[in-house]
Amino acid sequence: MNNDNILLTCSGLRTYFYTDDGVVKAVDDVNFTIERGKTLGIVGESGCGKSVTSHSIMQLVPKPHGKISGGEIIYRGHDGEEVNIADLDPFGPKMRQIRGNEIAMIFQEPMTSLNPVYSIGDQIIESIRLHQKLNKKDAKARAIEMLKLVGIPAAELRVNEYPHQLSGGMRQRVMIAMALSCNPKLLIADEPTTALDVTIEAQILELMVDLQKKLGMSIMIITHDLGVVGELADDVAVMYAGKVVENAAVVDLFDRPLHPYTQGLLNSRPVIGNKKRLFSIPGNVPHLAHLPKGCPFAARCANAKDICLSEEPAVVDAGQGHSVRCWLHA
């Protein structure tokens, strides 16, 4: 892969939370790359470290208990400068320049992400003026332009409305407009269709694909829905218990899933016309402060061997950019 095409690389990323119950290894030795103009899907059950990975990239890990404890997050802006985000002060000028400006994020629930006492226009304008240094008139014109871009009708009127006056789908469009208002190089979408009905979900996903084509940005989408990944992503990282257990191009992953966890996720998808009982992966994700010895998935894996219970597997190169962390392929 040409390094000029790589926008962001996570190498050996570790983000831990130091609690009274022990050290919670929320992200533990995570590796992936995001190419310019491409989409990376991060998939896994709740509690596997997906959102903490995105918060680490944005330097939004809650202090004082949370900390990026190791690894690198190398970001390459269009000026060619390489920056290790993991080393930056979360409140320093360099991180302020990157966060919200060059790397933007759409959070899970727009009603809790938008301030209820400010109009949506004021909230978008604040972001634009902070990063783009425009006057209030030009910033408002830019806000209206962004609302039109994301398909909000009567944008000139809607810009003065408050979050409670909008539907869930409209609020999510406002969040996308706010995230894109500064023309970011990377958009992180953390389960952007949570709590939306299927029709609105399809519209939001279609909107993101269209905007990516228009603006040429990269997207990192976090989801537990493999259908969303199949529709949007170019590459996929499957996470389990804080680790990436499989990494591949999306077509290769669906055609040739190697890790038993990935196979379980694919087998548990409902299929039209299938009248058999849906497959479910037995057991639960282990507590990240008390991980078992060996492979963290071994207790739930029908193919587990003795070595799986005693030694943690290393990452194995399966060819064609496909890697897996599993003893079955060592």
Side-chain angles (χ1 to χ4, degrees):
M1 189 186 296
N2 186 345
N3 273 353
D4 292 339
N5 291 332
I6 297 174
L7 181 66
L8 186 137
T9 304
C10 278
S11 302
L13 179 63
R14 291 177 169 84
T15 302
Y16 296 168
F17 291 85
Y18 298 87
T19 72
D20 294 339
D21 198 30
V23 179
V24 177
K25 297 180 178 181
V27 173
D28 194 20
D29 191 23
V30 162
N31 302 276
F32 59 77
T33 59
I34 302 175
E35 292 186 64
R36 297 186 191 277
K38 296 292 184 71
T39 298
L40 172 71
I42 297 191
V43 166
E45 291 170 89
S46 295
C48 69
K50 306 187 299 296
S51 292
V52 177
T53 300
S54 67
H55 292 164
S56 301
I57 293 171
M58 297 292 284
Q59 275 284 16
L60 293 174
V61 178
K63 308 291 184 186
H65 302 296
K67 180 183 177 185
I68 297 176
S69 303
E72 296 181 327
I73 305 168
I74 303 298
Y75 170 69
R76 300 172 180 86
H78 281 317
D79 57 4
E81 180 190 12
E82 286 193 3
V83 178
N84 182 8
I85 290 175
D87 286 344
L88 295 181
D89 176 356
F91 307 105
K94 187 64 180 176
M95 195 62 224
R96 285 177 182 271
Q97 176 200 331
I98 292 172
R99 187 197 298 121
N101 189 33
E102 297 185 41
I103 303 177
M105 186 165 176
I106 306 168
F107 294 91
Q108 280 190 37
E109 178 45 63
M111 198 61 211
T112 56
S113 302
L114 292 168
N115 192 322
V117 300
Y118 289 98
S119 71
I120 60 170
D122 284 342
Q123 295 182 64
I124 299 173
I125 288 166
E126 181 184 19
S127 175
I128 294 169
R129 294 194 71 187
L130 177 67
H131 295 295
Q132 301 291 301
K133 310 303 182 188
L134 299 179
N135 61 42
K136 192 166 184 178
K137 182 182 177 182
D138 290 342
K140 184 171 183 179
R142 173 71 175 163
I144 292 170
E145 178 191 337
M146 294 310 301
L147 292 176
K148 288 178 178 176
L149 183 67
V150 298
I152 291 181
E156 292 85 354
L157 300 175
R158 294 281 190 175
V159 75
N160 297 314
E161 292 186 347
Y162 291 81
H164 72 271
Q165 294 176 278
L166 304 177
S167 67
M170 285 293 181
R171 285 196 294 265
Q172 196 60 290
R173 287 172 186 266
V174 169
M175 289 297 297
I176 295 171
M178 191 181 300
L180 299 181
S181 61
C182 298
N183 294 324
K185 313 293 187 293
L186 172 63
L187 176 66
I188 299 174
D190 188 357
E191 306 218 24
T193 55
T194 297
L196 299 180
D197 64 56
V198 289
T199 308
I200 304 301
E201 176 183 38
Q203 291 174 5
I204 294 295
L205 296 177
E206 186 180 349
L207 171 65
M208 289 177 64
V209 171
D210 289 345
L211 290 173
Q212 184 178 35
K213 289 175 183 175
K214 285 179 185 175
L215 304 175
M217 64 187 173
S218 302
I219 295 176
M220 175 176 142
I221 185 161
I222 296 166
T223 182
H224 57 269
D225 187 339
L226 282 164
V228 170
V229 166
E231 191 169 327
L232 245 68
D234 298 291
D235 301 291
V236 189
V238 180
M239 286 191 72
Y240 183 80
K243 298 181 184 293
V244 172
V245 296
E246 189 160 3
N247 209 324
V250 67
V251 175
D252 195 16
L253 187 94
F254 277 72
D255 285 348
R256 188 171 60 114
L258 298 178
H259 198 282
Y261 179 61
T262 309
Q263 294 165 1
L265 290 177
L266 287 168
N267 289 336
S268 62
R269 290 179 304 155
V271 178
I272 294 173
N274 181 15
K275 296 180 180 179
K276 294 180 182 178
R277 185 182 179 89
L278 273 178
F279 173 80
S280 65
I281 302 171
N284 297 300
V285 180
H287 195 293
L288 296 180
H290 308 289
L291 289 168
K293 196 176 179 183
C295 173
F297 188 66
R300 306 175 71 185
C301 181
N303 302 312
K305 303 184 289 186
D306 288 344
I307 195 171
C308 302
L309 300 168
S310 58
E311 293 184 38
E312 188 177 318
V315 176
V316 177
D317 184 355
Q320 298 177 323
H322 196 148
S323 62
V324 61
R325 190 187 290 265
C326 180
W327 281 116
L328 298 174
H329 302 281

